[in-house]
């Protein structure tokens, strides 16, 4: 399975990472609905899962794939630790805050609600939680994981994170 995935990743990296991200965003939402909110299969909101998959595959997957290439090519210092710290800082101040803004706004639009109200009620708390989880994950990711596998690492950790975001979004 890993060889097959690596072959797809080598042949079509953006498409492969986008599809993988869509599946894992949907997985996070399913977990949120079934194990956090305990809605049961009969009341599962399939449209919500679809919105998460759409966002993951059409927005986050491509954006993260390109972002990690930018970090890899543009942020390089003599010190490996300095490079990693700078990449984490850039990731958390530029990408994470922007992605969270886009995620919450997009979900509000797709749900037919007010993006400003959604951002006002959820953005600050979600960004704080983001900064509790992701800097450490990204430090390890940038230090030990090859560029082509960084989105996958983020996607695996994101199963839990997306579970939280989906839950937060449904409450906000």
């Amino acid at each position: 399975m890993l060889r097959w995935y690596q072959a797809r990743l080598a042949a079509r990296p953006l498409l492969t990472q986008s599809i993988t991200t869509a599946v894992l965003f949907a997985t996070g939402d399913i977990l949120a609905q079934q194990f956090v909110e305990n809605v049961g299969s009969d009341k599962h909101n399939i449209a919500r899962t679809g919105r998460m998959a759409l966002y993951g595959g059409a927005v986050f997957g491509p954006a993260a794939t390109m972002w990690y290439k930018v970090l890899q090519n543009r942020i390089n210092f003599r010190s490996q630790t300095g490079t990693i710290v700078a990449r984490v800082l850039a990731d958390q101040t530029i990408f994470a805050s922007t992605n969270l803004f886009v995620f919450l706004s997009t979900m509000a639009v797709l749900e037919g609600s007010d993006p400003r109200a959604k951002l006002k009620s959820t953005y600050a708390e979600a960004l704080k939680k983001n900064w509790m989880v992701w800097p450490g994950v990204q430090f390890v990711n940038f230090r030990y994981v090859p560029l082509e596998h960084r989105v996958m690492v983020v996607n695996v950790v994101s199963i839990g994170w997306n579970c939280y975001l989906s839950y937060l979004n449904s409450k906000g």
Side-chain angles (χ1 to χ4, degrees):
M1 179 84 157
L2 184 57
R3 283 189 197 159
W4 177 86
Y5 180 77
Q6 288 179 316
R8 301 291 74 73
L9 196 55
R12 313 257 331 247
L14 189 61
L15 178 62
T16 302
Q17 292 188 17
S18 295
I19 291 170
T20 303
T21 304
V23 169
L24 293 173
F25 265 62
T27 301
D29 179 69
I30 291 167
L31 291 172
Q33 289 192 55
Q34 297 307 314
F35 298 106
V36 176
E37 300 165 41
N38 296 311
V39 299
S41 58
D42 56 322
K43 293 185 181 172
H44 185 88
N45 185 336
I46 294 172
R48 177 175 140 183
T49 302
R51 288 189 296 269
M52 288 292 288
L54 177 65
Y55 183 85
V59 179
F60 186 82
T65 300
M66 300 310 294
W67 174 246
Y68 293 143
K69 286 180 186 176
V70 168
L71 290 177
Q72 184 77 17
N73 293 328
R74 303 282 174 126
I75 299 180
N76 294 292
F77 299 112
R78 290 186 181 152
S79 159
Q80 182 183 27
T81 301
T83 297
I84 294 166
V85 168
R87 288 177 183 171
V88 170
L89 284 171
D91 184 64
Q92 292 304 298
T93 58
I94 300 167
F95 187 77
S97 58
T98 302
N99 178 62
L100 186 56
F101 178 91
V102 172
F103 170 78
L104 293 169
S105 299
T106 301
M107 289 299 119
V109 169
L110 292 175
E111 294 162 355
S113 63
D114 180 13
R116 288 182 189 182
K118 174 76 72 177
L119 290 166
K120 185 177 180 181
S121 68
T122 58
Y123 182 80
E125 183 64 25
L127 191 57
K128 285 184 219 169
K129 296 274 196 249
N130 174 89
W131 289 337
M132 293 168 67
V133 173
W134 287 104
V137 171
Q138 292 296 54
F139 187 89
V140 170
N141 199 19
F142 295 146
R143 170 69 178 92
Y144 297 106
V145 179
L147 176 62
E148 65 272 13
H149 297 293
R150 288 181 187 157
V151 173
M152 175 57 88
V153 167
V154 167
N155 282 337
V156 169
V157 175
S158 285
I159 292 174
W161 178 248
N162 292 335
C163 183
Y164 165 74
L165 280 183
S166 182
Y167 174 75
L168 176 76
N169 183 64
S170 72
K171 298 301 173 204

